[in-house]
Amino acid sequence: SENNDLPALFWEDAIPDDPNHPDLVAMQEIMYGESTPSERAEAFKIQGNEAFKFGPGNHYYFREAIKCYTQALSVPELTHEDDALKATCLSNRAECHLRLGNNGHALSDAQAACILQPNDAPKAYLRAAKAARALEKFEKAAVVARCGAEKCRAAKQDAFADQLD
């Protein structure tokens, strides 16, 4: 391709998916500097949160928030220490999917958040129950809601437990 002779900035086609491509590495260095994977994921999460704020007036922003949360979850080299951040991104992405009516995706993301942070994901349990209910999986919704209420009470998060009852 003619792109091979030009720096990536001037390419007409997308950059290859090769994470070690020198131009891609150089652009990521410009964008992220010496930030850690956790810091990069947190930055994407914050961008998602900002986009979400505008979603109620325009569903475009919910889709943009989904992209940001997905980017946060796609940051390479996140560790188990980042599970709380990953769970938050999954739970937030689930809420965006709920708002867009993508209930299957919402359920999947919310359940994944609950698995990552079983004792500290009250919103994820609530979102999983809402998604299951919207999908007319009433038994699953009841089980998720009960489980969430129990976990939230155990973690002394009664405000969320009350919503799940």
Side-chain angles (χ1 to χ4, degrees), residues 104-116:
H105 290 298
L107 180 58
S108 176
D109 280 350
Q111 286 179 311
C114 293
I115 290 168
L116 279 173

Side-chain angles (χ1 to χ4, degrees), residues 72-164:
L73 293 163
S74 300
V75 169
E77 301 175 21
L78 291 178
T79 67
H80 288 298
E81 293 176 11
D82 300 305
D83 282 355
L85 173 61
K86 290 187 273 188
T88 298
C89 289
L90 284 162
S91 180
N92 290 356
R93 192 169 72 177
E95 180 63 24
C96 292
H97 281 302
L98 278 171
R99 302 278 182 110
L100 293 171
N102 302 333
N103 298 312
H105 290 298
L107 180 58
S108 176
D109 280 350
Q111 286 179 311
C114 293
I115 290 168
L116 279 173
Q117 294 284 283
N119 297 317
D120 196 27
K123 289 181 184 179
Y125 284 103
L126 179 62
R127 291 167 180 163
K130 284 181 178 181
R133 183 172 170 243
L135 291 167
E136 298 183 3
K137 296 181 176 184
F138 301 115
E139 189 173 324
K140 183 173 202 68
V143 168
V144 170
R146 257 191 313 278
C147 181
E150 290 169 12
K151 301 270 186 191
C152 293
R153 281 202 187 89
K156 296 189 176 22
Q157 297 168 339
D158 291 328
F160 290 107
D162 291 341
Q163 291 184 41
L164 289 168

Side-chain angles (χ1 to χ4, degrees), residues 42-60:
E42 181 69 26
F44 284 125
K45 183 195 87 169
I46 291 168
Q47 288 174 5
N49 292 350
E50 289 302 312
F52 180 86
K53 291 176 187 177
F54 295 100
N58 185 339
H59 285 180
Y60 165 82

